[in-house]
Amino acid sequence: MTREEKSQVIEELTAQLADNANIYLTDISGLNAGSTSDLRRACFKADVQLNVVKNTLLTKAMEASDRDFGELPTVLKGNTSVMYSETGNAPAKVIKAFRKKSEKPLLKGAFIEEAVYLGDDQLDMLVDIKSKEELIGEIVGLLQSPAKNVISALKSGGGTIAGIIKTLSEKEG
């Protein structure tokens, strides 16, 4: 690889790091061609981009980036693949599901919305991170609960004020 080609790859990696808020570093070495293909398919279905990278080039891209990756460059040893995703927990879910039938991929580290996670032992915590859509759904559900209680009280109270008050007071107790 020429110096110009390396510079081009570093520029592309730097742009990808800037464009993605959720970055996972994994080790997929040792997967055979069939398993690698299955992993790529699982990533595609989950809207996760998977790329194999050279550690030295990714390190230089991280250094050139405006972001603070903290201790994340310290895990760039051996084989490294990068997973990019719009959803913070999507790569973790792909890894966890895939590991039901394989030892790999191993999680080396992750950069999720400015937070750094190091080590494979962080996988379960990363799976549990809620996406923005999931959080919004939970908030909407919580906001709808009181309204649903009032509507059900109106229906079960027989439409009279006394019936509604009785039903609501029973729900409080």
Side-chain angles (χ1 to χ4, degrees):
M1 186 179 271
T2 67
R3 182 173 285 164
E4 291 80 25
E5 290 171 330
K6 286 181 182 178
S7 293
Q8 179 66 31
V9 170
I10 291 169
E11 283 179 35
E12 290 171 6
L13 283 171
T14 304
Q16 285 181 320
L17 293 174
D19 292 344
N20 292 282
N22 305 301
I23 302 160
Y24 282 64
L25 303 178
T26 62
D27 177 1
I28 63 170
S29 65
L31 292 180
N32 62 29
S35 294
T36 302
S37 179
D38 291 344
L39 177 61
R40 288 188 180 280
R41 193 173 301 112
C43 286
F44 179 78
K45 286 180 183 175
D47 201 24
V48 174
Q49 183 183 353
L50 175 67
N51 296 327
V52 177
V53 296
K54 286 187 172 271
N55 291 332
T56 54
L57 300 180
L58 182 57
T59 300
K60 290 183 182 193
M62 286 179 164
E63 290 168 358
S65 171
D66 293 337
R67 291 191 171 155
D68 178 11
F69 290 100
E71 297 294 311
L72 202 56
T74 64
V75 302
L76 294 175
K77 297 175 179 79
N79 294 314
T80 303
S81 297
V82 182
M83 294 177 150
Y84 303 103
S85 174
E86 291 291 319
T87 308
N89 64 1
K93 288 180 177 180
V94 169
I95 293 168
K96 189 162 181 147
F98 201 80
R99 293 228 315 239
K100 289 179 181 173
K101 57 186 174 209
S102 174
E103 293 178 6
K104 301 271 177 116
L106 291 177
L107 177 67
K108 292 178 160 193
F111 180 83
I112 313 294
E113 305 280 343
E114 306 294 326
V116 175
Y117 301 86
L118 299 175
D120 195 60
D121 59 330
Q122 302 292 309
L123 185 62
D124 287 333
M125 183 173 38
L126 292 171
V127 167
D128 292 338
I129 289 176
K130 298 210 181 298
S131 69
K132 289 176 187 171
E133 293 77 19
E134 290 169 325
L135 285 174
I136 290 169
E138 283 185 11
I139 291 169
V140 168
L142 289 171
L143 293 173
Q144 288 177 340
S145 290
K148 287 180 182 175
N149 289 341
V150 170
I151 290 169
S152 75
L154 290 172
K155 288 180 180 175
S156 67
T160 65
I161 297 288
I164 293 169
I165 291 171
K166 181 179 180 224
T167 303
L168 287 174
S169 64
E170 289 170 358
K171 287 193 180 230
E172 283 182 19

